[in-house]
Amino acid sequence: MALLGIYAALALFIVWRYSRPMRLTVTRMFVMPGILLALTAFAIWGDRYEHLQGAQSPTVLALSLAIGAIAGVPFGILRGMHTTVKATDRPGVIYLGPSWVVPAVVVGAYALRVGLRAAFAQTSFAEAAGNGVLALAIATLVTSYYVIYRKYRALEHQAGQI
């Protein structure tokens, strides 16, 4: 029950954080994806050692993570292309418009993972699909921030030429 409370608090924080415009430094832009990547790695690692007898093989784990990550890249590119990015008067600080996509993808991935595990009684399929969904969400987020960073660099380059 405590784990459910932690997941709910994290989901509320992510929804609150990304549903409003943000001013942030370019360096700080990669902090939240880094935290979510660490939480995802911890969740996968925790599952791996929680069920030692029924744990999936490293090959299946790597394959599910790779497929999820590859599937997440196009979504990240789309999200990054459609995010409002503006330069501010201070160098290294950007303005990002609000996005409902990030909370939907990240919270949805964790919810789908829990749903798969409940529906398929923690079978190998549920583990592999759940890990793939988490990899998709993280790949979407990291890729979108890379595209946003490139948009910022283009704005910075334009401002330097004027």
Side-chain angles (χ1 to χ4, degrees):
M1 193 62 169
L3 186 60
L4 186 59
I6 292 170
Y7 278 145
L10 228 111
L12 287 173
F13 175 74
I14 291 169
V15 169
W16 172 78
R17 175 87 172 118
Y18 286 99
S19 64
R20 59 190 182 84
M22 294 184 275
R23 286 181 113 192
L24 49 122
T25 63
V26 175
T27 306
R28 208 177 87 197
M29 181 172 68
F30 289 101
V31 170
M32 188 62 155
I35 290 170
L36 289 174
L37 179 62
L39 285 173
T40 301
F42 182 72
I44 292 170
W45 176 78
D47 273 353
R48 182 107 179 101
Y49 289 99
E50 181 181 321
H51 312 291
L52 284 178
Q53 292 176 335
Q56 60 185 200
S57 72
T59 306
V60 172
L61 177 63
L63 188 61
S64 66
L65 293 176
I67 290 170
I70 290 168
V73 169
F75 293 116
I77 292 170
L78 283 172
R79 189 265 173 164
M81 288 172 39
H82 294 287
T83 298
T84 304
V85 178
K86 296 178 186 173
T88 62
D89 54 345
R90 293 182 11 213
V93 178
I94 62 174
Y95 170 85
L96 291 180
S99 174
W100 60 268
V101 174
V102 173
V105 168
V106 174
V107 173
Y110 275 94
L112 184 59
R113 181 174 191 245
V114 169
L116 283 168
R117 294 178 76 184
F120 294 102
Q122 297 187 7
T123 61
S124 294
F125 169 76
E127 261 188 79
N131 292 337
V133 168
L134 290 181
L136 181 139
I138 295 303
T140 299
L141 189 62
V142 170
T143 304
S144 68
Y145 274 105
Y146 177 72
V147 172
I148 290 167
Y149 174 73
R150 303 262 314 186
K151 285 171 78 171
Y152 167 73
R153 296 291 295 181
L155 285 172
E156 190 179 63
H157 183 66
Q158 248 179 0
Q161 288 181 350
I162 297 175

